Amino acid sequence: MSTLVIIPAYNEEACIARTVQELQEKAPEYEYVVVNDGSHDSTAQICRDLGFNLIDLPVNLGLTGAFQTGMKYAHMHGYDHAIQFDADGQHVPDFIAELVETMDETHADIVIGSRFVTDRKPMSLRMLGSNLIAAFIRLTTGARIKDPTSGMRLYNRSVIEQFAMRGDLTPEPETLAFLIKRKQATVIERQVSMRERAAGKSYFTFSKSISYMVTTCSAILFSLWFRR
């Protein structure tokens, strides 16, 4: 069964080459596409120079728009699975095969590469936010998701189609809650390891972490009460 690795990239000139080259080296059986999200740096040029499979968006759409573009590409080309994969080097390609194997064996709709199936969450503000988001998902859907903010998620063909045909789904926890509650999607977590970003600066400052937590919890409620 075919699997597409979707790599949204915005101003990742310091990381994109090593991220894709490591993917090609360690998981050559999987096809990929880099979605350059209107970067202002040389991300797109690096991809072209190295012959990477590239969708070059002319403007910045944000993570949601870039990921939706990748899912539309996956749907158009008939992939059975699609996985979100960070451009900054945090995700480890060795684990992709385990997630795909889990989906094939269990027929789950979504398999999350989770940092906390067997490992304990560290004490930090971000993990406090993760716990709160997990609590909102459990309260509204009954599902116990230990790592709701993990960006390493594998989707099956039916979920790919949902992303391709709808404009209101995001690669965020509220979409997990929506798909579980409204579309009866089954979600499984598998333990993975993640790294610190290879270079560059994380988007999440203290204030943005607080804002993300509040916005996400509100969006979980909104997505369940006002979307079908």
Side-chain angles (χ1 to χ4, degrees):
M1 300 180 75
S2 57
T3 300
L4 178 69
V5 181
I6 300 172
I7 309 174
Y10 177 65
N11 291 345
E12 294 288 0
E13 63 180 8
C15 303
I16 192 63
R18 75 181 76 176
T19 295
V20 176
Q21 288 167 344
E22 182 186 31
L23 177 67
Q24 292 174 318
E25 176 186 347
K26 295 187 175 180
E29 65 270 36
Y30 301 116
E31 298 180 19
Y32 71 90
V33 63
V34 178
V35 183
N36 177 50
D37 189 22
S39 297
H40 300 298
D41 64 3
S42 59
T43 297
Q45 190 59 51
I46 290 170
C47 291
R48 285 191 288 266
D49 290 345
L50 294 174
F52 295 162
N53 187 27
L54 173 69
I55 298 174
D56 191 12
L57 299 177
V59 296
N60 176 245
L61 299 181
L63 177 58
T64 293
F67 184 66
Q68 286 174 342
T69 299
M71 291 293 256
K72 289 178 185 293
Y73 179 94
H75 183 259
M76 181 173 63
H77 289 84
Y79 285 94
D80 299 299
H81 311 132
I83 186 169
Q84 180 182 346
F85 199 81
D86 283 356
D88 60 12
Q90 292 191 75
H91 293 166
V92 181
D94 306 70
F95 291 107
I96 296 175
E98 294 181 24
L99 302 187
V100 172
E101 182 180 354
T102 296
M103 178 168 284
D104 290 344
E105 289 177 348
T106 64
H107 304 291
D109 297 297
I110 302 168
V111 179
I112 300 173
S114 172
R115 295 161 287 183
F116 309 120
V117 174
T118 57
D119 293 353
R120 183 183 296 273
K121 284 185 180 180
M123 297 296 293
S124 69
L125 179 64
R126 288 185 66 179
M127 291 304 103
L128 175 63
S130 175
N131 286 335
L132 183 60
I133 292 167
F136 265 72
I137 291 176
R138 189 177 184 194
L139 177 67
T140 53
T141 71
R144 185 189 294 270
I145 306 295
K146 295 183 178 180
D147 195 1
T149 61
S150 168
M152 192 177 188
R153 301 191 192 109
L154 180 73
Y155 302 92
N156 71 3
R157 184 179 292 207
S158 66
V159 179
I160 293 172
E161 184 175 9
Q162 288 286 324
F163 271 91
M165 297 302 174
R166 300 177 62 117
D168 59 345
L169 300 186
T170 74
E172 299 292 352
E174 63 264 24
T175 289
L176 279 179
F178 170 76
L179 291 171
I180 293 168
K181 185 70 173 181
R182 297 299 185 203
K183 303 300 178 180
Q184 290 74 54
T186 55
V187 180
I188 290 178
E189 292 181 276
R190 284 293 178 265
Q191 181 69 38
V192 301
S193 298
M194 294 189 189
R195 304 174 291 214
E196 295 298 320
R197 63 181 293 122
K201 185 178 180 181
S202 173
Y203 168 83
F204 283 102
T205 61
F206 176 83
S207 60
K208 287 179 179 177
S209 294
I210 295 291
S211 176
Y212 177 81
M213 178 175 62
V214 173
T215 301
T216 300
C217 290
S218 300
I220 289 171
L221 296 177
F222 176 85
S223 68
L224 296 185
W225 292 111
F226 297 100
R227 289 196 296 178
R228 291 292 184 268

